[in-house]
């Protein structure tokens, strides 16, 4: 009997080590993907910003803000729920993937309609409306990201990385060609759409190479109903997140002008480029957190605490040097036309502390079945952001928008957890993680 227990302990340890190696390898692939994208996209993005100038760059980002505002409707908040379901019931993955795909197609139609409709209401110029229409059409291609959810559940994101980076490199070369040919602004929107289309094709090829077939995907009305019943708070939560991430650009465009949007976008491009870090790490770690919940409550919270402490450390490592070097970085990359972006960057980059924290706690809300409270926290954050933008933008312009973003992120991802009795447990864990205390 004692011998059997020892064998089981050894097998468990080997399995744990194997899982850890898979997480590290998967995270490595995701980091390689994001670092490549960060470096290349930053270089080409800066080149595009210099080529277009602050005003046209502002128009382009204004259109992208409209599309991003409704993007949670195209994804329907399903990603974390679908990954969890595949981990718990892998034998039913074809039905889960098929149902998810068609739900996302339906969501893409609604997202496109809302984005274009609101663009008509806010802007009368045809260029902005065409930009929104082209960029929002990408939601249909992003439905094929359903394949990526399977790879994430298996901690095999390298297939997604290869597929999407192939498309990314091709379109990067296309963007460079557009600059050298002095192409009009709308051509860069088409380039974005082409990238999403090529990425979808790449994912389908990777799925087939792995021995799977999309032909086996099945639609289930009852499963769709259950998925939407669980995800609707996440849809609303995603919408409110987009409000306090993108409404600043829309309000700047309406209250100050396109050039202010361009300058602000230059700062946020540098600040938000780091947001890939929590997403990459959590997509690899979350399956182990879901599994830990089934094994032990203590292990479950221990892993969440470790993740939070690590995220806090990374965000501080990013924010501190960016604060002191913001003016130099903006001048070196974007030039004198974007000089005002330095002060915006120095403030906006500190929102990353709470963005990292928010991503790290998102799996807790899913596992605990508290997605409705996740929505509530982001709704309050969005309202605070809109109100602060309304008062701060007329006085401080882009700097005011950055201050509003920082305060609203802090409230949504941290302080709001102290309000409800069910979220105080994660709030206490967040406090301990901020001072790097073990759970």
């Amino acid at each position: 009997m004692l011998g059997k227990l020892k064998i089981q302990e050894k097998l468990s340890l080997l399995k744990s080590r194997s899982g850890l190696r898979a997480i590290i390898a998967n995270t490595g692939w995701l980091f390689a993907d994001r670092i490549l994208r960060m470096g290349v996209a930053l270089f080409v993005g800066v080149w595009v910003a210099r080529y277009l100038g602050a005003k046209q760059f502002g128009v382009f980002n204004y259109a992208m803000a409209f599309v991003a505002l409704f993007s949670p409707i195209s994804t329907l908040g399903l990603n974390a729920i679908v990954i969890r379901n595949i981990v718990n019931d892998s034998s039913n993955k074809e039905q889960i993937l098929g149902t998810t795909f068609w739900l996302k197609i339906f969501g893409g139609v609604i997202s496109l309609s809302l984005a274009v409709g609101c663009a008509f209401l806010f802007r009368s110029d045809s260029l902005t409306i065409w930009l929104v229409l082209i960029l929002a059409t990408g939601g249909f291609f992003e439905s094929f990201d359903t394949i990526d959810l399977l790879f994430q559940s298996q901690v095999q994101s390298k297939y997604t990385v290869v597929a999407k980076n192939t498309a990314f490199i091709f379109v990067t070369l296309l963007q460079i060609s557009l600059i050298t040919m002095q192409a009009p602004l709308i051509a860069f929107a088409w380039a974005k759409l082409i990238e999403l289309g090529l990425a979808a094709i790449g994912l389908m090829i990777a799925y087939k190479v792995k021995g799977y077939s999309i032909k086996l995907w099945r639609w289930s009305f009852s499963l769709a109903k259950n998925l939407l019943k669980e995800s609707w708070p996440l849809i609303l939560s995603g919408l409110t997140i987009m409000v306090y991430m993108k409404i600043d650009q829309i309000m700047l465009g309406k209250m100050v002008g396109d050039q202010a949007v361009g300058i602000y976008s230059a700062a946020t491009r540098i600040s938000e480029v780091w947001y890939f870090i929590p997403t990459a790490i959590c997509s690899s770690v979350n399956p182990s957190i879901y599994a830990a919940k089934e094994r032990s409550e203590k292990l479950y919270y221990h892993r969440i605490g470790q993740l939070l402490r690590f995220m806090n450390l990374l965000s501080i490592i990013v924010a501190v040097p960016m604060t002191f070097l913001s003016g130099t970085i903006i001048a070196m990359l974007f030039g004198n036309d974007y000089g005002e972006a330095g002060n915006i960057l120095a403030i906006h980059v500190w929102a990353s502390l709470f963005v990292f924290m928010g991503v790290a706690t998102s799996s807790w809300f899913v596992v605990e079945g508290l997605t409705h409270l996740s929505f509530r926290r982001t709704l309050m954050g969005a309202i605070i952001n809109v109100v602060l933008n309304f008062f701060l933008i007329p006085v401080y312009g882009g700097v005011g928008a950055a201050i509003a973003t920082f305060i609203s992120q802090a409230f949504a991802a941290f302080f709001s957890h102290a309000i409800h009795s069910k979220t105080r447990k994660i709030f206490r864990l967040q406090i301990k993680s901020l001072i790097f205390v073990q759970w």
Side-chain angles (χ1 to χ4, degrees):
M1 185 69 178
L2 185 61
K4 281 186 177 180
L5 286 172
K6 286 183 177 180
I7 291 170
Q8 287 177 350
E9 285 176 4
K10 287 181 179 179
L11 287 173
S12 178
L13 181 62
L14 286 171
K15 189 174 181 182
S16 176
R17 287 177 178 174
S18 176
L20 179 61
R21 284 196 296 269
I23 289 171
I24 292 171
N26 193 68
T27 305
W29 273 99
L30 290 170
F31 264 85
D33 169 45
R34 294 302 181 179
I35 289 170
L36 173 65
R37 283 175 173 267
M38 182 177 69
V40 176
L42 187 59
F43 171 74
V44 177
V46 167
W47 196 355
V48 170
R50 282 178 171 267
Y51 166 70
L52 294 176
K55 187 171 183 179
Q56 281 203 86
F57 189 59
V59 173
F60 188 59
N61 280 278
Y62 186 86
M64 286 200 296
F66 259 112
V67 176
L69 203 59
F70 298 103
S71 61
I73 298 176
S74 63
T75 60
L76 293 172
L78 292 170
N79 292 359
I81 295 167
V82 170
I83 292 169
R84 184 203 62 195
N85 286 2
I86 295 173
V87 169
N88 294 337
D89 186 15
S90 60
S91 62
N92 198 34
K93 61 180 178 292
E94 282 83 10
Q95 187 178 79
I96 296 171
L97 294 173
T99 304
T100 302
F101 174 77
W102 286 109
L103 282 174
K104 288 193 172 190
I105 288 287
F106 178 67
V109 173
I110 298 174
S111 177
L112 173 65
S113 303
L114 288 173
V116 174
C118 288
F120 267 110
L121 291 175
F122 279 79
R123 296 286 288 251
S124 58
D125 62 293
S126 59
L127 175 60
T128 302
I129 294 166
W130 271 106
L131 288 171
V132 171
L133 177 62
I134 295 166
L135 293 168
T137 304
F140 293 103
F141 293 118
E142 289 181 317
S143 300
F144 287 92
D145 281 356
T146 301
I147 295 170
D148 177 45
L149 302 182
L150 173 67
F151 292 147
Q152 286 189 48
S153 72
Q154 298 175 341
V155 200
Q156 294 181 339
S157 292
K158 62 182 179 181
Y159 299 103
T160 302
V161 170
V162 172
K164 292 197 171 185
N165 267 336
T166 302
F168 172 70
I169 291 168
F170 176 83
V171 172
T172 296
L173 296 174
L174 175 60
Q175 286 181 314
I176 293 171
S177 299
L178 292 174
I179 294 170
T180 56
M181 291 188 299
Q182 296 187 326
L185 173 58
I186 200 165
F188 293 91
W190 284 111
K192 289 280 185 184
L193 184 61
I194 290 169
E195 180 181 351
L196 293 174
L198 291 175
I201 294 170
L203 282 171
M204 286 189 285
I205 293 171
Y207 192 72
K208 188 173 182 179
V209 167
K210 282 287 292 177
Y212 302 119
S213 175
I214 290 178
K215 294 179 181 179
L216 297 176
W217 286 5
R218 305 187 306 276
W219 164 264
S220 168
F221 180 79
S222 60
L223 177 59
K225 186 178 177 180
N226 289 334
L227 287 173
L228 290 175
K229 184 179 179 180
E230 191 172 0
S231 73
W232 73 264
L234 293 175
I235 299 171
L236 296 176
S237 178
L239 284 169
T240 52
I241 287 171
M242 285 297 108
V243 166
Y244 69 70
M245 286 190 70
K246 298 299 178 182
I247 198 67
D248 44 11
Q249 295 182 31
I250 294 172
M251 292 181 75
L252 268 172
K254 287 294 292 183
M255 300 170 79
V256 183
D258 292 331
Q259 187 162 343
V261 178
I263 292 169
Y264 185 80
S265 298
T268 57
R269 178 156 297 207
I270 304 297
S271 176
E272 294 176 359
V273 76
W274 307 101
Y275 290 3
F276 80 89
I277 295 175
T279 304
I281 293 173
C282 289
S283 65
S284 296
V285 172
N286 281 347
S288 71
I289 291 176
Y290 300 147
K293 176 67 174 179
E294 301 298 321
R295 293 170 56 191
S296 163
E297 192 82 0
K298 184 178 179 181
L299 177 62
Y300 169 61
Y301 278 103
H302 175 69
R303 287 184 176 176
I304 294 175
Q306 284 182 315
L307 179 61
L308 278 168
R309 286 193 301 276
F310 187 54
M311 290 295 191
N312 293 340
L313 179 62
L314 288 175
S315 63
I316 291 169
I317 290 172
V318 168
V320 171
M322 294 292 289
T323 301
F324 293 103
L325 299 173
S326 58
T328 304
I329 291 169
I330 292 295
M332 182 176 64
L333 294 177
F334 291 94
N336 295 330
D337 287 349
Y338 295 86
E340 296 173 35
N343 292 331
I344 297 170
L345 175 58
I347 298 167
H348 194 278
V349 72
W350 281 99
S352 63
L353 174 63
F354 301 105
V355 171
F356 282 39
M357 196 180 288
V359 175
T361 57
S362 61
S363 61
W364 181 83
F365 282 92
V366 173
V367 174
E368 297 298 316
L370 298 174
T371 52
H372 62 289
L373 294 181
S374 178
F375 163 64
R376 187 180 298 179
R377 68 172 183 167
T378 51
L379 177 61
M380 288 188 287
I383 293 170
I384 289 170
N385 193 30
V386 171
V387 172
L388 288 175
N389 275 325
F390 184 79
F391 288 104
L392 294 176
I393 286 176
V395 181
Y396 302 107
V399 170
I403 295 170
T405 296
F406 171 76
I407 294 173
S408 60
Q409 288 280 12
F411 186 85
F414 181 55
F415 292 110
S416 64
H417 297 161
I419 297 173
H420 200 284
S421 59
K422 290 184 178 180
T423 57
R424 284 177 194 146
K425 190 169 187 176
I426 198 69
F427 180 66
R428 289 193 295 270
L429 187 57
Q430 285 178 293
I431 292 173
K432 290 186 176 184
S433 71
L434 277 173
I435 56 178
F436 300 98
V437 173
Q438 291 281 347
W439 173 254

